[in-house]
Amino acid sequence: MPSVRAWALDDLPALTFDPLLADVLSHEPVARVRMPFGQERDAWLVTRYADVRLVTSDPRFSRAALVGREVNGMMAHRVAATVGLNYADPPEHTRLRKVMTKAFTGRTMKSLRPLAEQTAAGMLDAMEEAGPPADLVAHLHGPFPLTVVGDLLGVPPEDRDRLADWPDVILSAGPGPKSSEAAKERMRQYIVELLASRTGSTDDDLASVLARAQDAGDISEAEAVSLATAVLVSGAHAVRNNSANMVYTLLTRPELAERLRAEPELLPQAVDELLRHIPHRNGVGLPRIATEDVEVGGVLIRAGEAVYASYLAANRDPDTFPDPEAIDFDRTGTAHVSFGHGPHHCIGAMLARMESEVMLGALLTRFPRLRLAGDPAETLWQSKGFIRGPQALWVTW
C-alpha cells in the first residue's frame, strides 16, 4: 500500500489549480489520499485522463455501493439524496435518466435560448441603468442561471426569490450540516408542492415531466423530488460560479476577451476551453466503490475500496491535452471531462453551455470596454464550498 497524502482542502487563492492535484498527476497518478471527514481513513484518487474515464464508466466501480458507507471525504454531510441519480447504477440509473431526458432535449434547449437571451438583456439593461461600478454576480451571474433553471423546471417567477439562497447553503461546508439539512428540507417541501401542482399537466417543463412519470408509476415521489432538487441546486449554483469564473478569466486576460469580440463565432469553442481549463470546484465529487479487484494505471485497487476520480486533473493531463496550462481557443480534438463521463455525465451539460454562451456573448458585445473595477487581487472568493467562484465581481465599463 502506498503512503497516504493528507489533503486538507483549504481555500485556494482565486482560480489557482490545486497543488496536490498537480503533484499527484505528475508523480503518482493513482494515489492514496486522506480528507478531513468520514469514518474510513483514506481513499484512492485517480487523476490521469484515461484512468478517470475508466473508473467513471466501468461497471466494476459502483455508486450504489456507497449507500450506508462513511467514506473518507471533504464534507461532514451528504449533499445528494441517496434515492436519486447520484447514488444509482444501471439499470436503475438508466430508468431515472430516461425520465429526465424528456425535459433535456435539443428542442427544449433551442426553445429556451431566445428566452435566456431576453432575460440576460433585461438584466444588463438594469445594470447599465444603475451605472458603474456594478457587481456582475448580483446583476447577472446569480439571477440569470436561477431564472433559466426556473424556466426549465417550471417554477413560477414569483417563487424564485425563495429559492435563491438554498443551493448555496446546501453546497457549502461553511454553514455546517444542520444548515444544509434545513435548506434541503425547505427545498424538498417546496418541490413536493410544485410537483403536486403539475398533476395532469401536459406541459414540457421538467416539473410536469416528473409529475407525469410519477403518476404513471415510472418513478416514486422521493425520486421525483430528488431529480428536481438536483437540477435546481446544480443549475443555479454551478452555472453561476462557472460563468463568473469565465468572465473573471477573460477580464484578467484581456487578449482573450478581445479575440472573442473580433471572432464571436469562436464563442462555443472558447466556452469549452474555459470549462476545461478553469478549476471550477474544490476537491472531488462523489467516489465509487470497487466491486472487485481492478487494476487502474498499474495499481491494484481491491474490492470494497473507495475511488475518487478527479475531472480537474484529467483536464490537465499533458498526455491528452498538449500544453494543458495554456488557454487555447483553437484547441480541438479530445473532449474535456468537466461535465463528467460515463453514465453520470451531467444531464444539464447542453443547458450549462448555452447559458455560458449567452452570458459571455451579451457582456462582450454590449460592453466593449468592460473591465474589473479594481485590482484582481481584491476580488473576494467563496469559502468552503464544493464549487469555486467569486462572492462578487465588480466591473466598470
Side-chain angles (χ1 to χ4, degrees), residues 71-311:
V71 298
N72 185 249
M74 62 179 289
M75 283 194 177
H77 60 281
R78 178 181 286 121
V79 171
T82 57
V83 296
L85 285 168
N86 284 305
Y87 287 88
D89 296 329
E92 283 297 291
H93 184 275
T94 308
R95 174 180 64 85
L96 295 173
R97 193 172 176 106
K98 184 178 179 180
V99 171
M100 295 287 283
T101 55
K102 295 176 183 177
F104 283 89
T105 63
R107 185 185 70 174
T108 301
M109 296 305 105
K110 189 175 181 179
S111 68
L112 281 174
R113 186 164 192 138
L115 186 58
E117 291 171 343
Q118 182 181 354
T119 297
M123 290 176 178
L124 294 181
D125 284 344
M127 185 178 86
E128 189 170 22
E129 184 176 348
D135 175 12
L136 275 179
V137 173
H139 282 279
L140 182 67
H141 298 294
F144 177 83
L146 185 62
T147 299
V148 173
V149 78
D151 291 337
L152 174 73
L153 191 56
V155 175
E158 61 270 19
D159 288 353
R160 292 174 188 178
D161 286 345
R162 295 170 56 191
L163 308 180
D165 295 334
W166 295 343
D168 295 344
V169 176
I170 292 169
L171 287 174
S172 176
K178 288 185 179 179
S179 296
S180 177
E181 291 302 321
K184 282 195 285 187
E185 177 56 24
R186 289 194 294 272
M187 184 174 286
R188 188 196 69 79
Q189 291 174 359
Y190 175 79
I191 290 175
V192 167
E193 295 169 4
L194 178 67
L195 294 176
S197 74
R198 291 299 194 278
T199 300
S201 170
T202 58
D203 292 342
D204 290 333
D205 61 80
L206 180 58
S208 296
V209 168
L210 294 174
R212 286 196 295 273
Q214 185 180 328
D215 290 343
D218 296 333
I219 56 175
S220 67
E221 180 186 79
E223 289 170 337
V225 170
S226 175
L227 294 171
T229 301
V231 170
L232 185 55
V233 170
S234 61
H237 184 85
V239 175
R240 180 194 72 185
N241 290 311
N242 287 355
S243 62
N245 289 339
M246 290 181 190
V247 172
Y248 175 85
T249 300
L250 292 178
L251 296 184
T252 52
R253 295 280 304 277
E255 75 280 5
L256 298 177
E258 286 307 312
R259 183 171 183 204
L260 288 181
R261 288 192 179 96
E263 302 176 65
E265 68 277 4
L266 274 180
L267 188 56
Q269 198 165 306
V271 164
D272 258 336
E273 174 65 353
L274 291 168
L275 284 166
R276 180 201 67 82
H277 183 271
I278 292 171
H280 61 276
R281 66 161 300 134
N282 288 313
V284 280
L286 285 173
R288 291 159 175 80
I289 303 297
T291 58
E292 59 183 82
D293 292 358
V294 187
E295 186 175 298
V296 178
V299 176
L300 183 64
I301 295 174
R302 299 285 186 183
E305 292 182 328
V307 187
Y308 285 95
S310 173
Y311 296 123

